[in-house]
Amino acid sequence: MKHIPNTITLANLLCGCLSIVATFSGQLVFAGGLILLAAVFDFLDGFLAKILNAQSELGKQLDSLADIVSFGVAPAMIAFRIMFANPDALPFPQLPYIAFAMVLFSALRLAKFNTDDTSHPEYFIGMPTPANGMFWATLPFVLRDLHERELWNLEAITFHPITIAVLCVIFTALLVLPIRMLSLKLKAGFVPSWQQFLLVGTVAVLFFIVGFAAIPIGILIYPLFSLTIRK
């Protein structure tokens, strides 16, 4: 039983690897779906580790190794591919490579997280890598919806290479900035705060209005909710 959490962590890692392959193949929606599935596995491995009393240093390190692929490399590949899809709009051909800053700072964030002895059930320091991964994972779904609804102007602005590059910079910074971010993980004995209920409720309502766009919108406003955390 003690090996179940680590097995689920490896499933997270596999999803990240397959997502990268899907992005190379131009299947961005499938690639995004695999990152979302990796996020489910990322939640389950920690949850089951606590339930089964199977937490270990090996599991902690393995979890971070999986996260750097699924929520660092795989999302960066999606951002890179989206920018390269419109080469005529690139101000210079090297711009898409800015996406890989997310990989570097995801690794830095995870390393700091693993060596930090302080923890709190209500918040993280900096944006968690799964939140970064879920933002980029849902963008292909939004792009598909805009294309199907023939909202060409909105699609052109939202997915312009410069827009994506700016978002890469913002999320790269959020990964390592020393700011408190709400934790959405379920922990034994922890009662969710009103901020957490409000954030989840806002995303749920938006989902019925704008579909998958609710997730990236929710992650964009996530730092604003986090500003209400008591120091």
Side-chain angles (χ1 to χ4, degrees):
M1 296 291 284
K2 66 179 182 179
H3 298 298
I4 292 177
N6 288 345
T7 301
I8 294 176
T9 302
L10 291 175
N12 167 7
L13 177 57
L14 178 60
C15 286
C17 294
L18 294 176
S19 174
I20 294 170
V21 173
T23 301
F24 273 122
S25 303
Q27 303 176 62
L28 295 188
V29 171
F30 185 47
L34 286 166
I35 294 175
L36 295 177
L37 181 58
V40 174
F41 287 133
D42 183 59
F43 167 79
L44 288 176
D45 63 4
F47 184 73
L48 289 177
K50 294 181 180 66
I51 295 297
L52 300 175
N53 195 25
Q55 295 171 293
S56 67
E57 184 62 27
L58 173 63
K60 180 180 179 181
Q61 299 300 328
L62 186 62
D63 184 71
S64 290
L65 291 172
D67 285 359
I68 187 60
V69 175
S70 297
F71 310 126
V73 180
M77 289 301 304
I78 288 177
F80 180 84
R81 185 65 185 249
I82 290 174
M83 282 188 278
F84 248 129
N86 190 7
D88 293 335
L90 291 172
F92 51 92
Q94 295 81 15
L95 182 65
Y97 291 92
I98 198 172
F100 296 108
M102 286 192 293
V103 181
L104 305 181
F105 283 81
S106 291
L108 179 60
R109 174 191 162 66
L110 290 165
K112 290 176 65 177
F113 180 80
N114 280 359
T115 56
D116 187 2
D117 293 330
T118 61
S119 62
H120 197 282
E122 291 187 4
Y123 60 80
F124 297 106
I125 301 299
M127 177 171 283
T129 52
N132 174 69
M134 291 176 66
F135 176 84
W136 296 100
T138 51
L139 285 192
F141 292 91
V142 177
L143 179 59
R144 180 194 63 184
D145 290 348
L146 292 177
H147 191 77
E148 289 178 350
R149 296 175 186 178
E150 298 184 352
L151 299 174
W152 309 117
N153 289 336
L154 187 57
E155 178 182 334
I157 295 172
T158 306
F159 291 92
H160 192 282
I162 293 179
T163 305
I164 300 299
V166 170
L167 288 171
C168 286
V169 172
I170 291 172
F171 277 88
T172 295
L174 286 174
L175 286 167
V176 295
L177 283 175
I179 56 177
R180 296 182 179 187
M181 304 285 288
L182 285 172
S183 172
L184 298 178
K185 286 193 172 183
L186 299 177
K187 297 184 179 182
F190 173 57
V191 179
S193 66
W194 67 266
Q195 297 102 320
Q196 292 162 320
F197 277 119
L198 184 58
L199 177 59
V200 173
T202 299
V203 173
V205 171
L206 283 174
F207 193 85
F208 286 101
I209 300 172
V210 296
F212 274 100
I215 297 177
I217 291 173
I219 294 173
L220 282 172
I221 64 176
Y222 172 35
L224 299 179
F225 279 83
S226 299
L227 293 175
T228 62
I229 298 175
R230 292 182 180 179
K231 304 298 183 184

mmCIF file of all heavy atoms in Angstrom, residues 145-172:
data_model
loop_
_atom_site.group_PDB
_atom_site.id
_atom_site.type_symbol
_atom_site.label_atom_id
_atom_site.label_comp_id
_atom_site.label_asym_id
_atom_site.label_seq_id
_atom_site.Cartn_x
_atom_site.Cartn_y
_atom_site.Cartn_z
ATOM 1 N N ASP A 145 -12.255 27.088 -28.601
ATOM 2 C CA ASP A 145 -13.602 27.659 -28.475
ATOM 3 C C ASP A 145 -13.727 28.957 -29.258
ATOM 4 O O ASP A 145 -14.746 29.203 -29.918
ATOM 5 C CB ASP A 145 -13.929 27.899 -26.999
ATOM 6 C CG ASP A 145 -14.141 26.599 -26.231
ATOM 7 O OD1 ASP A 145 -14.270 25.537 -26.881
ATOM 8 O OD2 ASP A 145 -14.163 26.652 -24.988
ATOM 9 N N LEU A 146 -12.710 29.815 -29.182
ATOM 10 C CA LEU A 146 -12.741 31.073 -29.921
ATOM 11 C C LEU A 146 -12.774 30.825 -31.421
ATOM 12 O O LEU A 146 -13.481 31.511 -32.172
ATOM 13 C CB LEU A 146 -11.522 31.931 -29.565
ATOM 14 C CG LEU A 146 -11.466 32.492 -28.144
ATOM 15 C CD1 LEU A 146 -10.159 33.246 -27.935
ATOM 16 C CD2 LEU A 146 -12.655 33.407 -27.867
ATOM 17 N N HIS A 147 -12.022 29.825 -31.859
ATOM 18 C CA HIS A 147 -11.975 29.487 -33.281
ATOM 19 C C HIS A 147 -13.329 28.955 -33.753
ATOM 20 O O HIS A 147 -13.810 29.323 -34.831
ATOM 21 C CB HIS A 147 -10.880 28.461 -33.533
ATOM 22 C CG HIS A 147 -10.578 28.254 -34.983
ATOM 23 N ND1 HIS A 147 -9.826 29.144 -35.723
ATOM 24 C CD2 HIS A 147 -10.931 27.267 -35.841
ATOM 25 C CE1 HIS A 147 -9.731 28.705 -36.969
ATOM 26 N NE2 HIS A 147 -10.390 27.570 -37.064
ATOM 27 N N GLU A 148 -13.947 28.094 -32.946
ATOM 28 C CA GLU A 148 -15.235 27.514 -33.324
ATOM 29 C C GLU A 148 -16.340 28.577 -33.352
ATOM 30 O O GLU A 148 -17.272 28.484 -34.154
ATOM 31 C CB GLU A 148 -15.607 26.390 -32.351
ATOM 32 C CG GLU A 148 -14.744 25.139 -32.510
ATOM 33 C CD GLU A 148 -15.102 24.071 -31.505
ATOM 34 O OE1 GLU A 148 -15.874 24.367 -30.565
ATOM 35 O OE2 GLU A 148 -14.606 22.928 -31.637
ATOM 36 N N ARG A 149 -16.234 29.588 -32.491
ATOM 37 C CA ARG A 149 -17.235 30.657 -32.460
ATOM 38 C C ARG A 149 -16.897 31.786 -33.433
ATOM 39 O O ARG A 149 -17.614 32.791 -33.475
ATOM 40 C CB ARG A 149 -17.342 31.208 -31.040
ATOM 41 C CG ARG A 149 -17.838 30.180 -30.026
ATOM 42 C CD ARG A 149 -17.818 30.737 -28.619
ATOM 43 N NE ARG A 149 -18.163 29.711 -27.633
ATOM 44 C CZ ARG A 149 -18.183 29.914 -26.314
ATOM 45 N NH1 ARG A 149 -17.886 31.116 -25.836
ATOM 46 N NH2 ARG A 149 -18.497 28.930 -25.486
ATOM 47 N N GLU A 150 -15.802 31.612 -34.155
ATOM 48 C CA GLU A 150 -15.352 32.583 -35.161
ATOM 49 C C GLU A 150 -15.129 33.968 -34.559
ATOM 50 O O GLU A 150 -15.426 34.996 -35.174
ATOM 51 C CB GLU A 150 -16.349 32.654 -36.320
ATOM 52 C CG GLU A 150 -16.490 31.327 -37.052
ATOM 53 C CD GLU A 150 -17.405 31.422 -38.263
ATOM 54 O OE1 GLU A 150 -18.048 32.477 -38.451
ATOM 55 O OE2 GLU A 150 -17.471 30.432 -39.013
ATOM 56 N N LEU A 151 -14.580 33.983 -33.355
ATOM 57 C CA LEU A 151 -14.232 35.253 -32.700
ATOM 58 C C LEU A 151 -12.784 35.585 -33.059
ATOM 59 O O LEU A 151 -11.880 35.549 -32.225
ATOM 60 C CB LEU A 151 -14.420 35.126 -31.180
ATOM 61 C CG LEU A 151 -15.848 34.814 -30.723
ATOM 62 C CD1 LEU A 151 -15.894 34.558 -29.225
ATOM 63 C CD2 LEU A 151 -16.787 35.961 -31.087
ATOM 64 N N TRP A 152 -12.581 35.907 -34.325
ATOM 65 C CA TRP A 152 -11.215 36.041 -34.844
ATOM 66 C C TRP A 152 -10.446 37.172 -34.183
ATOM 67 O O TRP A 152 -9.242 37.032 -33.902
ATOM 68 C CB TRP A 152 -11.263 36.260 -36.364
ATOM 69 C CG TRP A 152 -12.104 35.268 -37.104
ATOM 70 C CD1 TRP A 152 -13.228 35.531 -37.832
ATOM 71 C CD2 TRP A 152 -11.920 33.849 -37.177
ATOM 72 N NE1 TRP A 152 -13.757 34.378 -38.357
ATOM 73 C CE2 TRP A 152 -12.971 33.322 -37.964
ATOM 74 C CE3 TRP A 152 -10.987 32.968 -36.648
ATOM 75 C CZ2 TRP A 152 -13.090 31.971 -38.249
ATOM 76 C CZ3 TRP A 152 -11.116 31.613 -36.918
ATOM 77 C CH2 TRP A 152 -12.147 31.137 -37.707
ATOM 78 N N ASN A 153 -11.096 38.305 -33.957
ATOM 79 C CA ASN A 153 -10.398 39.452 -33.363
ATOM 80 C C ASN A 153 -9.923 39.140 -31.945
ATOM 81 O O ASN A 153 -8.785 39.443 -31.576
ATOM 82 C CB ASN A 153 -11.302 40.692 -33.353
ATOM 83 C CG ASN A 153 -11.534 41.259 -34.736
ATOM 84 O OD1 ASN A 153 -10.723 41.044 -35.642
ATOM 85 N ND2 ASN A 153 -12.641 41.960 -34.920
ATOM 86 N N LEU A 154 -10.815 38.539 -31.160
ATOM 87 C CA LEU A 154 -10.452 38.174 -29.792
ATOM 88 C C LEU A 154 -9.348 37.123 -29.789
ATOM 89 O O LEU A 154 -8.423 37.174 -28.971
ATOM 90 C CB LEU A 154 -11.688 37.665 -29.049
ATOM 91 C CG LEU A 154 -11.514 37.386 -27.551
ATOM 92 C CD1 LEU A 154 -11.025 38.631 -26.827
ATOM 93 C CD2 LEU A 154 -12.832 36.900 -26.955
ATOM 94 N N GLU A 155 -9.442 36.174 -30.710
ATOM 95 C CA GLU A 155 -8.414 35.147 -30.823
ATOM 96 C C GLU A 155 -7.065 35.763 -31.191
ATOM 97 O O GLU A 155 -6.028 35.418 -30.615
ATOM 98 C CB GLU A 155 -8.815 34.120 -31.888
ATOM 99 C CG GLU A 155 -7.777 33.028 -32.120
ATOM 100 C CD GLU A 155 -8.195 32.070 -33.221
ATOM 101 O OE1 GLU A 155 -9.414 31.925 -33.445
ATOM 102 O OE2 GLU A 155 -7.301 31.467 -33.844
ATOM 103 N N ALA A 156 -7.074 36.700 -32.130
ATOM 104 C CA ALA A 156 -5.832 37.316 -32.587
ATOM 105 C C ALA A 156 -5.148 38.107 -31.477
ATOM 106 O O ALA A 156 -3.918 38.094 -31.352
ATOM 107 C CB ALA A 156 -6.110 38.230 -33.779
ATOM 108 N N ILE A 157 -5.953 38.783 -30.633
ATOM 109 C CA ILE A 157 -5.372 39.577 -29.546
ATOM 110 C C ILE A 157 -4.908 38.690 -28.404
ATOM 111 O O ILE A 157 -3.788 38.817 -27.902
ATOM 112 C CB ILE A 157 -6.408 40.606 -29.040
ATOM 113 C CG1 ILE A 157 -6.727 41.612 -30.136
ATOM 114 C CG2 ILE A 157 -5.880 41.322 -27.794
ATOM 115 C CD1 ILE A 157 -7.875 42.541 -29.802
ATOM 116 N N THR A 158 -5.790 37.770 -27.981
ATOM 117 C CA THR A 158 -5.495 36.924 -26.824
ATOM 118 C C THR A 158 -4.298 36.023 -27.065
ATOM 119 O O THR A 158 -3.484 35.793 -26.158
ATOM 120 C CB THR A 158 -6.722 36.068 -26.462
ATOM 121 O OG1 THR A 158 -7.853 36.920 -26.277
ATOM 122 C CG2 THR A 158 -6.473 35.266 -25.192
ATOM 123 N N PHE A 159 -4.175 35.521 -28.290
ATOM 124 C CA PHE A 159 -3.109 34.558 -28.577
ATOM 125 C C PHE A 159 -2.019 35.143 -29.472
ATOM 126 O O PHE A 159 -1.277 34.411 -30.111
ATOM 127 C CB PHE A 159 -3.715 33.294 -29.204
ATOM 128 C CG PHE A 159 -4.541 32.514 -28.216
ATOM 129 C CD1 PHE A 159 -5.902 32.736 -28.088
ATOM 130 C CD2 PHE A 159 -3.942 31.586 -27.384
ATOM 131 C CE1 PHE A 159 -6.654 32.037 -27.164
ATOM 132 C CE2 PHE A 159 -4.691 30.874 -26.452
ATOM 133 C CZ PHE A 159 -6.047 31.104 -26.344
ATOM 134 N N HIS A 160 -1.910 36.461 -29.478
ATOM 135 C CA HIS A 160 -0.803 37.106 -30.177
ATOM 136 C C HIS A 160 0.503 36.723 -29.468
ATOM 137 O O HIS A 160 0.526 36.622 -28.223
ATOM 138 C CB HIS A 160 -0.984 38.625 -30.171
ATOM 139 C CG HIS A 160 -0.061 39.351 -31.084
ATOM 140 N ND1 HIS A 160 1.265 39.586 -30.762
ATOM 141 C CD2 HIS A 160 -0.249 39.890 -32.323
ATOM 142 C CE1 HIS A 160 1.839 40.253 -31.751
ATOM 143 N NE2 HIS A 160 0.948 40.443 -32.711
ATOM 144 N N PRO A 161 1.580 36.488 -30.192
ATOM 145 C CA PRO A 161 2.839 36.089 -29.549
ATOM 146 C C PRO A 161 3.297 37.029 -28.444
ATOM 147 O O PRO A 161 3.837 36.575 -27.422
ATOM 148 C CB PRO A 161 3.832 36.079 -30.711
ATOM 149 C CG PRO A 161 3.000 35.770 -31.909
ATOM 150 C CD PRO A 161 1.688 36.452 -31.664
ATOM 151 N N ILE A 162 3.076 38.327 -28.614
ATOM 152 C CA ILE A 162 3.498 39.272 -27.575
ATOM 153 C C ILE A 162 2.657 39.085 -26.315
ATOM 154 O O ILE A 162 3.177 39.128 -25.187
ATOM 155 C CB ILE A 162 3.407 40.719 -28.089
ATOM 156 C CG1 ILE A 162 4.433 40.940 -29.205
ATOM 157 C CG2 ILE A 162 3.638 41.709 -26.944
ATOM 158 C CD1 ILE A 162 4.416 42.323 -29.800
ATOM 159 N N THR A 163 1.341 38.854 -26.478
ATOM 160 C CA THR A 163 0.480 38.589 -25.321
ATOM 161 C C THR A 163 0.950 37.357 -24.564
ATOM 162 O O THR A 163 1.059 37.367 -23.328
ATOM 163 C CB THR A 163 -0.981 38.395 -25.767
ATOM 164 O OG1 THR A 163 -1.414 39.516 -26.511
ATOM 165 C CG2 THR A 163 -1.892 38.200 -24.559
ATOM 166 N N ILE A 164 1.228 36.287 -25.301
ATOM 167 C CA ILE A 164 1.689 35.043 -24.672
ATOM 168 C C ILE A 164 3.035 35.246 -23.996
ATOM 169 O O ILE A 164 3.279 34.736 -22.893
ATOM 170 C CB ILE A 164 1.765 33.908 -25.719
ATOM 171 C CG1 ILE A 164 0.386 33.653 -26.327
ATOM 172 C CG2 ILE A 164 2.308 32.636 -25.087
ATOM 173 C CD1 ILE A 164 -0.673 33.224 -25.334
ATOM 174 N N ALA A 165 3.925 36.014 -24.624
ATOM 175 C CA ALA A 165 5.240 36.276 -24.037
ATOM 176 C C ALA A 165 5.114 37.050 -22.728
ATOM 177 O O ALA A 165 5.807 36.752 -21.738
ATOM 178 C CB ALA A 165 6.120 37.045 -25.024
ATOM 179 N N VAL A 166 4.216 38.040 -22.704
ATOM 180 C CA VAL A 166 3.994 38.814 -21.478
ATOM 181 C C VAL A 166 3.452 37.908 -20.373
ATOM 182 O O VAL A 166 3.879 37.997 -19.207
ATOM 183 C CB VAL A 166 3.023 39.980 -21.747
ATOM 184 C CG1 VAL A 166 2.589 40.627 -20.434
ATOM 185 C CG2 VAL A 166 3.683 41.016 -22.648
ATOM 186 N N LEU A 167 2.526 37.016 -20.730
ATOM 187 C CA LEU A 167 1.992 36.074 -19.745
ATOM 188 C C LEU A 167 3.092 35.148 -19.223
ATOM 189 O O LEU A 167 3.115 34.808 -18.038
ATOM 190 C CB LEU A 167 0.858 35.259 -20.358
ATOM 191 C CG LEU A 167 -0.454 36.015 -20.597
ATOM 192 C CD1 LEU A 167 -1.423 35.171 -21.414
ATOM 193 C CD2 LEU A 167 -1.097 36.414 -19.270
ATOM 194 N N CYS A 168 4.003 34.745 -20.095
ATOM 195 C CA CYS A 168 5.145 33.913 -19.662
ATOM 196 C C CYS A 168 5.968 34.635 -18.607
ATOM 197 O O CYS A 168 6.374 34.047 -17.595
ATOM 198 C CB CYS A 168 6.026 33.555 -20.852
ATOM 199 S SG CYS A 168 5.351 32.318 -21.975
ATOM 200 N N VAL A 169 6.230 35.912 -18.834
ATOM 201 C CA VAL A 169 7.007 36.702 -17.880
ATOM 202 C C VAL A 169 6.269 36.833 -16.553
ATOM 203 O O VAL A 169 6.856 36.676 -15.470
ATOM 204 C CB VAL A 169 7.319 38.099 -18.466
ATOM 205 C CG1 VAL A 169 7.966 38.993 -17.410
ATOM 206 C CG2 VAL A 169 8.228 37.976 -19.680
ATOM 207 N N ILE A 170 4.954 37.102 -16.626
ATOM 208 C CA ILE A 170 4.157 37.259 -15.408
ATOM 209 C C ILE A 170 4.173 35.979 -14.577
ATOM 210 O O ILE A 170 4.418 36.010 -13.358
ATOM 211 C CB ILE A 170 2.715 37.659 -15.757
ATOM 212 C CG1 ILE A 170 2.679 39.082 -16.320
ATOM 213 C CG2 ILE A 170 1.802 37.548 -14.523
ATOM 214 C CD1 ILE A 170 1.326 39.497 -16.862
ATOM 215 N N PHE A 171 3.928 34.845 -15.225
ATOM 216 C CA PHE A 171 3.864 33.590 -14.475
ATOM 217 C C PHE A 171 5.237 33.132 -14.002
ATOM 218 O O PHE A 171 5.350 32.524 -12.931
ATOM 219 C CB PHE A 171 3.168 32.508 -15.313
ATOM 220 C CG PHE A 171 1.676 32.582 -15.234
ATOM 221 C CD1 PHE A 171 0.964 33.394 -16.103
ATOM 222 C CD2 PHE A 171 0.976 31.894 -14.267
ATOM 223 C CE1 PHE A 171 -0.414 33.495 -16.023
ATOM 224 C CE2 PHE A 171 -0.400 31.990 -14.164
ATOM 225 C CZ PHE A 171 -1.097 32.794 -15.047
ATOM 226 N N THR A 172 6.264 33.440 -14.767
ATOM 227 C CA THR A 172 7.623 33.143 -14.314
ATOM 228 C C THR A 172 7.916 33.890 -13.021
ATOM 229 O O THR A 172 8.478 33.324 -12.071
ATOM 230 C CB THR A 172 8.646 33.532 -15.397
ATOM 231 O OG1 THR A 172 8.454 32.702 -16.547
ATOM 232 C CG2 THR A 172 10.068 33.340 -14.889
#
